[in-house]
Amino acid sequence: QVQLVETGGGLVQSGGSLRLSCRASNRGSTNYAMGWFRQAPGKEREFLGAVSWKGNILFYADSVKGRFTISRAPFTGVMSLQMNGLAPDDTAVYYCAADSIFDRNWVPEYWGQGTQVTVFS
């Protein structure tokens, strides 16, 4: 069982930056992939990116490449999402997720509660 807690959401002006953090807690090892998703009102959930337990990037969505950076302290359950150049279209609830298995059609087993990011123009 992995518990995930996101922090760092909030309100930011268009063009600004935010940094989200996710901390995993579990009794086992940290040998699982972690990633970020978001869901805007009325839209499907979007997979933003994922990082391996060694800290290697596994995937970035084209919609955030060059603006968002995922990082993870290797072999730990601590992951961040640095978001730059935010636009109103980035407004969504952002979720941290984890699973011991990763593939391109990733449906993680473990999810955080989500943190709201609101970008105003």
Side-chain angles (χ1 to χ4, degrees), residues 22-41:
C22 176
R23 182 174 295 273
S25 60
N26 66 300
R27 294 183 178 181
S29 71
T30 56
N31 187 8
Y32 44 79
M34 297 181 72
W36 291 98
F37 291 76
R38 68 182 179 186
Q39 187 162 23

Side-chain angles (χ1 to χ4, degrees), residues 4 6 20 22 33-40 44-51 59 61 63-64 68 70 79 81 83 90-99 101-117:
L4 303 169
E6 305 99 333
L20 307 182
C22 176
M34 297 181 72
W36 291 98
F37 291 76
R38 68 182 179 186
Q39 187 162 23
E44 292 186 356
R45 186 175 61 198
E46 180 183 11
F47 181 22
L48 300 180
V51 58
F59 174 77
S63 59
V64 301
F68 292 9
I70 296 173
M79 177 181 66
L81 177 66
M83 303 185 291
D90 294 313
T91 295
V93 178
Y94 285 69
Y95 296 92
C96 171
D99 202 318
I101 298 172
F102 176 82
D103 58 37
R104 288 297 297 265
N105 298 311
W106 197 40
V107 183
E109 181 175 0
Y110 304 106
W111 293 85
Q113 81 286 354
T115 185
Q116 177 71 46
V117 172

